[in-house]
Amino acid sequence: MAEPNLTKPLSQKIGFIGGGNMAKAICEGLVSKGLIPYEQIHVSGPRLDNLTWWSQKGCKVFEHNGYLIETTDVIFICVKPHILQTAIDDINKTHKPDQFQSKLYISILAGVTLQQLASKLHPYNARIIRTMPNTPMTVGEGCTLYTPHSTATKTDIELLNRMLSSTGLCREIPEHLIDTAGALTGSGPAFVYMMLEALADGAVFMGLPRAWATEFAAQMALGAAKMARDSTKHTGQLKDEVCSPGGSTIRGVRALEEHNMRAAFMDAIEKAALRSAEIGKAGQ
Ligand SMILES: NC(=O)C1=CN([C@@H]2O[C@H](COP(=O)(O)OP(=O)(O)OC[C@H]3O[C@@H](n4cnc5c(N)ncnc54)[C@H](OP(=O)(O)O)[C@@H]3O)[C@@H](O)[C@H]2O)C=CC1
Ligand SMILES: O=C(O)[C@@H]1CCC=N1
């Protein structure tokens, strides 16, 4: 696929069904890269009071999802997986499926399969792409994995790439890997924040002021992540290069091994991936 043009503003109106944490992250990612102004973004949710963040930014807000679909070209579905049917039922309160032309629906729902999405969105003649984004796209360092449904066109996939490559990495993967990869990239930020908090706690325990501990932990992890991403060296080698023989780091490494740090992280990914698949099965 040709490299997406990341600077050309979008002509489409973008909609979000559900205006929670992940919808805000996508919106901020797109707006901060100059791809779209807030005024071209619409959002819907059952309680207008909960959409003030959006209206204050200049986005158009709706209490019913049908109006959102009516007024937008590309619709991100951003509700919790167990709310999907309720969100669709809400469309039918105000609109009939044949009132809508075929539109592109981008699901960000963990676990919910393309087959489930296609059967639920069938009456809307929907073109569908399943994605797993993550919140760091707010700062342009996101990671979005996606699998297109057969209803999605080449133009749809190019548009998705153009939008989400502007907020970080955007990569197509086979659907059978999306629960596992999503555990790593979608849930992973929570695990990293916990790790940063714990590292900072250790430094505070040893007497460093909290604000410094938090700032230094984040900067250290940013640098280490950049090296792991951009270097051709294995992460094990990068680790070895920090550990002086008989030095301070290897003492810390031994402490982590004694506390089963590796098994804990492996377990976290396994549990999150299994839960994602379970969410999908529950919806069948
Ligand atoms: N958070 C993350 O890091 C990631 C989340 N995801 C996926 O994103 C989805 C949303 O998660 P997240 O943003 O964290 O959740 P939030 O709870 O923050 O957002 C969900 C939003 O859906 C709204 N909502 C509830 N009912 C309806 C309805 N009937 N119609 C329209 N909107 C409705 C809620 O409004 P109200 O508050 O008024 O009820 C709320 O704003 C999930 O499916 C999750 O799997 C994927 C990747 C990462
Ligand atoms: O916790 C969840 O279910 C969602 C999916 C990935 C991140 N948050």
Side-chain angles (χ1 to χ4, degrees):
M1 186 176 302
E3 283 296 308
N5 182 342
L6 302 183
T7 49
K8 194 170 153 225
L10 293 170
S11 55
Q12 292 85 348
K13 286 205 176 72
I14 305 292
F16 292 92
I17 295 183
N21 293 321
M22 197 56 236
K24 286 176 188 163
I26 299 172
C27 167
E28 288 293 69
L30 296 176
V31 172
S32 67
K33 292 292 174 180
L35 236 68
I36 191 166
Y38 287 116
E39 293 68 26
Q40 223 167 295
I41 292 177
H42 299 183
V43 60
S44 59
R47 283 166 286 274
L48 286 179
D49 284 356
N50 289 348
L51 296 175
T52 48
W53 181 92
W54 297 85
S55 47
Q56 282 169 1
K57 299 271 183 196
C59 305
K60 203 164 169 50
V61 300
F62 297 101
E63 204 171 357
H64 290 290
N65 302 328
Y67 294 111
L68 182 285
I69 297 175
E70 188 187 319
T71 57
T72 51
D73 310 295
V74 177
I75 298 113
F76 283 88
I77 307 177
C78 299
V79 294
K80 294 286 189 198
H82 69 279
I83 299 291
L84 178 60
Q85 190 55 54
T86 314
I88 292 173
D89 291 343
D90 181 66
I91 303 170
N92 301 330
K93 282 185 194 155
T94 57
H95 290 72
K96 293 199 165 37
D98 58 13
Q99 277 179 265
F100 303 119
Q101 289 176 342
S102 169
K103 301 198 181 203
L104 173 59
Y105 294 78
I106 300 173
S107 167
I108 68 162
L109 278 59
V112 181
T113 63
L114 280 172
Q115 197 185 5
Q116 290 167 327
L117 291 164
S119 76
K120 286 189 193 296
L121 295 171
H122 177 68
Y124 304 95
N125 196 14
R127 307 184 325 263
I128 305 166
I129 302 178
R130 177 181 175 186
T131 69
M132 179 47 56
N134 69 4
T135 53
M137 66 170 53
T138 315
V139 294
E141 291 294 350
C143 180
T144 303
L145 310 172
Y146 70 91
T147 312
H149 187 254
S150 56
T151 47
T153 64
K154 190 166 167 275
T155 311
D156 293 333
I157 298 166
E158 278 169 3
L159 176 63
L160 179 93
N161 264 291
R162 193 168 138 219
M163 286 191 288
L164 298 182
S165 295
S166 75
T167 65
L169 182 78
C170 182
R171 176 89 41 94
E172 180 172 347
I173 61 167
E175 191 178 22
H176 74 275
L177 293 177
I178 206 163
D179 288 324
T180 295
L184 182 62
T185 62
S187 305
F191 309 149
V192 170
Y193 299 135
M194 288 173 72
M195 185 191 75
L196 293 178
E197 209 182 317
L199 290 169
D201 277 348
V204 171
F205 183 80
M206 293 305 292
L208 199 67
R210 169 67 63 184
W212 280 3
T214 304
E215 183 189 357
F216 298 165
Q219 177 61 28
M220 172 278 294
L222 188 66
K226 269 195 174 171
M227 284 192 73
R229 185 192 62 185
D230 299 341
S231 164
T232 52
K233 293 176 186 168
H234 187 275
T235 41
Q237 188 182 343
L238 292 172
K239 184 254 312 168
D240 288 352
E241 288 173 3
V242 187
C243 295
S244 310
S248 55
T249 312
I250 198 69
R251 291 274 171 111
V253 167
R254 178 173 169 137
L256 290 173
E257 297 295 7
E258 280 170 359
H259 291 287
N260 272 332
M261 177 274 283
R262 287 172 196 263
F265 277 119
M266 287 173 72
D267 240 12
I269 299 299
E270 183 196 11
K271 292 282 191 298
L274 291 175
R275 175 61 188 145
S276 195
E278 187 182 87
I279 290 170
K281 291 211 173 70
Q284 278 172 352

